[in-house]
């Protein structure tokens, strides 16, 4: 019923995560009504995506294809003896925005979730163990998400790391009340953690 | 901080309506992790969009560039003496899915909204008046949205049409309770309309 080229845009955009047919229709019609420049911009950027972005072979952060290593690893300003472990590359971005961390990163590539087929061997765990040895790492900060999968991954990492490197310091991000959340709405686990880890004023 | 090519995808996708930086990041990272085929599909479909889709010069519906007129107008199965007037081309799609309408369509290209700069002369109203004359139209069904803008547009159309064609039948879609909405949640205007237009069981 719709022109084939429009249907193709709707179908293609509908393959994005969380974009249903209604949103895809809205995007497609918006693009049709807007300047062709906008569609061209998106098309060009997508064509370049896989060509110009790759994973850093050491930290698995996303980097420009022409770079060899992530600048957050290779820069002399970064302390290689501290490694912050995250699930996904974009988590790095969130932490870098705090401007409060000067160590390096390691991207696991997800969290353990047997139901989704993500077993420990699918994550970059051996590469992390190798790094600890090679870079003489002194502290590993585990920053997996506070979800069931993130917690299991953190526990596994802690076990593997402490077995292999008994002197290594393994920490994780603090649990507590986030900014702007009313105490009456916070869940029990968060409140328990906030109580337990209370800080001196 | 992010690779330039990834930033470009995030920025480009962020130009879609209602897509904020967080969603754009999620889409970009999803595309990077998925097969390049998916990104290519989107890119190709976008490049073809403006090339292969145009507006029908009579009804302003969206059609394949190689077609001259909308098949919903040129087909002998469609009754040219009845014209259903909608705001946007995708509204046609919603009405066609009911399989209950055999007339033709006319797309206004929006609804009157002075605050957004959409004055009556920006809409395809003169073209509609011409069509009434040329196709000897007997009924105009106004199907603008039940919003302030849609209602003003409907009133204006009704005024212009009845002034110029006193014998023309001008109707509009019925107001009433939609499927699945609890009466206690329906607004007063809808309930008033549903009462007034009650049908015999």
């Amino acid at each position: 019923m719709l022109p084939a080229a429009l249907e193709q845009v709707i179908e293609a955009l509908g393959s994005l995560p969380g974009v249903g047919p209604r949103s895809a229709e809205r995007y497609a019609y918006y693009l049709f009504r807007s300047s062709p420049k906008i569609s061209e911009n998106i098309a060009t950027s997508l064509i370049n995506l896989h060509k110009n972005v790759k994973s850093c072979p050491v930290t698995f952060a996303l980097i420009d294809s022409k770079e060899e290593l992530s600048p957050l690893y290779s820069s002399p300003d970064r302390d290689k003896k501290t490694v912050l472990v995250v699930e996904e590359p974009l988590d790095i971005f969130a932490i870098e925005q705090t401007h409060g961390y000067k160590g390096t990163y390691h991207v696991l590539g997800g969290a353990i979730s047997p139901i989704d087929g993500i077993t420990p061997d699918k994550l970059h765990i051996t590469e992390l163990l190798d790094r600890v040895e090679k870079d003489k790492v002194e502290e590993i900060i585990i920053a997996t998400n506070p979800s069931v999968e993130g917690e299991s991954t953190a526990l596994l990492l802690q076990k593997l790391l402490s077995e292999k490197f008994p002197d290594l310091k393994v920490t994780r991000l603090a649990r507590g009340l986030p900014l702007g959340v009313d105490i009456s709405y916070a869940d029990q686990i968060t409140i328990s953690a906030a109580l337990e880890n209370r800080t001196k004023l």
Side-chain angles (χ1 to χ4, degrees), chain A residues 94-108:
Chain A
I95 291 171
E96 277 299 291
Q97 281 181 322
T98 68
H99 300 289
Y101 178 66
K102 289 291 159 224
T104 58
Y105 293 94
H106 190 87
V107 177
L108 291 175

Side-chain angles (χ1 to χ4, degrees), chain A residues 134-186:
Chain A
K134 229 184 81 205
D135 286 342
K136 299 188 184 57
V137 173
E138 288 166 2
E139 179 175 1
I140 293 276
I141 305 172
I142 300 178
T144 52
N145 285 321
S147 60
V148 175
E149 293 81 11
E151 292 291 302
S152 341
T153 311
L155 282 176
L156 177 76
L157 280 182
Q158 198 259 324
K159 191 170 153 272
L160 291 174
L161 288 164
S162 59
E163 267 172 20
K164 204 165 171 194
F165 311 100
D167 296 333
L168 181 70
K169 189 170 161 193
V170 181
T171 57
R172 74 163 189 181
L173 294 190
R175 294 271 174 280
L177 291 169
L179 193 73
V181 163
D182 202 280
I183 294 180
S184 61
Y185 284 101

Side-chain angles (χ1 to χ4, degrees), chain A residues 23-177:
Chain A
S23 306
E25 263 174 46
R26 198 156 64 97
Y27 298 161
Y29 181 53
Y30 168 84
L31 289 172
F32 174 72
R33 282 209 303 186
S34 312
S35 147
K37 265 257 147 67
I38 296 182
S39 308
E40 273 163 37
N41 260 349
I42 300 179
T44 321
S45 71
L46 289 178
I47 288 165
N48 292 332
L49 177 62
H50 284 85
K51 216 164 55 194
N52 296 347
V53 179
K54 66 170 188 183
S55 283
C56 166
V58 175
T59 67
F60 301 97
L62 299 181
I63 56 173
D64 274 346
S65 288
K66 51 182 188 294
E67 276 167 355
E68 232 180 285
L69 291 170
S70 163
L72 297 176
Y73 178 76
S74 56
S75 156
D77 293 345
R78 312 296 302 210
D79 168 22
K80 288 196 180 55
K81 298 205 182 307
T82 310
V83 178
L84 191 142
V85 180
V86 291
E87 290 180 18
E88 301 293 356
L90 293 181
D91 297 340
I92 295 178
F93 187 54
I95 291 171
E96 277 299 291
Q97 281 181 322
T98 68
H99 300 289
Y101 178 66
K102 289 291 159 224
T104 58
Y105 293 94
H106 190 87
V107 177
L108 291 175
I112 299 167
S113 173
I115 212 165
D116 301 314
I118 307 179
T119 46
D121 58 294
K122 296 266 168 65
L123 305 177
H124 302 302
I125 295 178
T126 32
E127 291 92 339
L128 177 65
L129 299 174
D130 290 351
R131 258 182 90 179
V132 173
E133 202 150 6
K134 229 184 81 205
D135 286 342
K136 299 188 184 57
V137 173
E138 288 166 2
E139 179 175 1
I140 293 276
I141 305 172
I142 300 178
T144 52
N145 285 321
S147 60
V148 175
E149 293 81 11
E151 292 291 302
S152 341
T153 311
L155 282 176
L156 177 76
L157 280 182
Q158 198 259 324
K159 191 170 153 272
L160 291 174
L161 288 164
S162 59
E163 267 172 20
K164 204 165 171 194
F165 311 100
D167 296 333
L168 181 70
K169 189 170 161 193
V170 181
T171 57
R172 74 163 189 181
L173 294 190
R175 294 271 174 280
L177 291 169

